Amino acid sequence: MCFASVHAQDTVADDATSIDAQILSAYVDNDPQQWDAVIDHLKQHATDTETQLKLGHVAYTAVGTAFGKRDMDMAAKYLEVAEEALENVLDADDKHPSAHGLMSGIAGMGIALDESKAMTLGMASNRHARKALQYGEEDPVALAMAASQQIYTPRQWGGDPDRGLELIGQSVALFEAMDSPESDWRYYESLILMGEAYTKVEQREAARAVYLKVLSMQPELAYVKYYLLPSLDQ
C-alpha cells in the first residue's frame, strides 16, 4: 500500500474520532448549537450507510435536547433530518436493526409533537421495534430503542416497563463488552434509559446508582446532573 493511501485512511480515522468526540460533547452539554454543528458536518459527509445511520441517530438524540428546551420547531427540524437519514439506511438494507430501532423512537417522538397521529405513529413504532428485535438480538442500539418503546408505551397499548428493563440491561451489557464504551455517547444513552426504566418500575435507588455511575464517567452530563438525579428526590 502506498503512503498516500495510508495517509488517506489515517485522515478518515482521525475525522471519525473527531466527530465522535464532538457528538459526545454535544450530548454531555445538551447544547443545540453543538448539535447543529455536528449535524451539518454529517450531512456533508453522509455518502455511505454508516454515516447516514450516525446522522439519523445524532439527529434523533438532538430531538431530546429540543424537547428539553421546549422548542418544538427545533424538535421537528431534527426529527425530519433523522427520519430522512434512516429511511436512506433502510432503503439500502431493509433489515438494519439499529435503523429500525431508531425509526421506532422517531415515531414515538412524532406522537409527542402531534398527538392526533398517536394511532398511526404508535403502530409504526411497534412495527419498527419488533423488527429491531427480530434483526438485532446482538445490536445494543436496536435493543435500547426496543426497550424505550416498551418503557414509554402505555400498558393499554402494549407497553411493558419490566420487559423494557430486561432489554436495556442487554443493551448496556453489550456496550460494556466493547472497548472503551465510555467514549461512546450511545453507551450513556443506554445507561440513562436504564435509570429511567428503574424509575418506571419504582426502583428509585437502582436508578440513582445508574445515574451516579454515569456521572462518575461524565461529571458534567447535564441531563443527568441537573434533571434526572434531582428528580428522584422530588
Side-chain angles (χ1 to χ4, degrees):
M1 182 179 294
C2 70
F3 174 78
S5 297
V6 172
H7 179 70
Q9 288 187 1
D10 287 345
T11 300
V12 170
D14 288 345
D15 287 347
T17 300
S18 174
I19 196 64
D20 286 344
Q22 291 176 53
I23 294 168
L24 181 57
S25 177
Y27 185 68
V28 169
D29 294 342
N30 207 29
D31 183 352
Q33 289 185 326
Q34 291 186 60
W35 283 131
D36 283 341
V38 169
I39 287 169
D40 286 346
H41 174 89
L42 290 172
K43 279 182 176 180
Q44 294 172 23
H45 296 83
T47 56
D48 59 273
T49 299
E50 183 178 349
T51 308
Q52 287 280 357
L53 180 68
K54 183 174 288 188
L55 172 60
H57 196 159
V58 165
Y60 163 81
T61 303
V63 176
T65 297
F67 280 151
K69 305 290 184 183
R70 294 180 171 82
D71 189 333
M72 297 302 104
D73 290 337
M74 184 194 303
K77 177 186 74 172
Y78 289 148
L79 206 60
E80 183 178 355
V81 172
E83 186 169 11
E84 181 180 352
L86 293 166
E87 284 175 348
N88 288 337
V89 175
L90 290 174
D91 284 344
D93 178 3
D94 65 0
K95 295 182 179 180
H96 197 294
S98 292
H100 278 297
L102 289 161
M103 286 293 280
S104 174
I106 285 170
M109 286 183 164
I111 295 171
L113 283 174
D114 186 351
E115 292 185 358
S116 71
K117 298 179 180 179
M119 182 67 72
T120 301
L121 291 177
M123 292 173 63
S125 181
N126 289 340
R127 181 176 69 254
H128 283 295
R130 287 196 301 272
K131 289 184 177 181
L133 289 179
Q134 179 183 354
Y135 303 132
E137 292 181 354
E138 297 296 322
D139 184 311
V141 172
L143 288 165
M145 297 311 303
S148 180
Q149 192 270 338
Q150 288 290 317
I151 292 163
Y152 290 109
T153 300
R155 286 188 183 272
Q156 63 265 34
W157 297 108
D160 183 348
D162 292 300
R163 173 61 172 155
L165 184 58
E166 177 186 348
L167 291 171
I168 196 60
Q170 294 173 23
S171 173
V172 167
L174 286 169
F175 274 119
E176 291 182 342
M178 298 178 181
D179 292 334
S180 303
E182 66 279 359
S183 64
D184 190 334
W185 97 96
R186 302 172 305 165
Y187 173 49
Y188 299 111
E189 261 190 338
S190 285
L191 281 173
I192 288 170
L193 187 57
M194 174 182 276
E196 292 174 327
Y198 276 128
T199 303
K200 276 280 187 179
V201 299
E202 300 183 358
Q203 296 187 41
R204 287 180 173 264
E205 291 311 306
R208 189 187 309 278
V210 172
Y211 296 150
L212 291 174
K213 177 178 180 176
V214 170
L215 293 177
S216 73
M217 294 180 283
Q218 291 291 341
E220 299 303 319
L221 207 160
Y223 185 48
V224 176
K225 184 176 182 178
Y226 298 114
Y227 178 73
L228 288 174
L229 190 58
S231 71
L232 293 176
D233 297 318
Q234 294 176 0

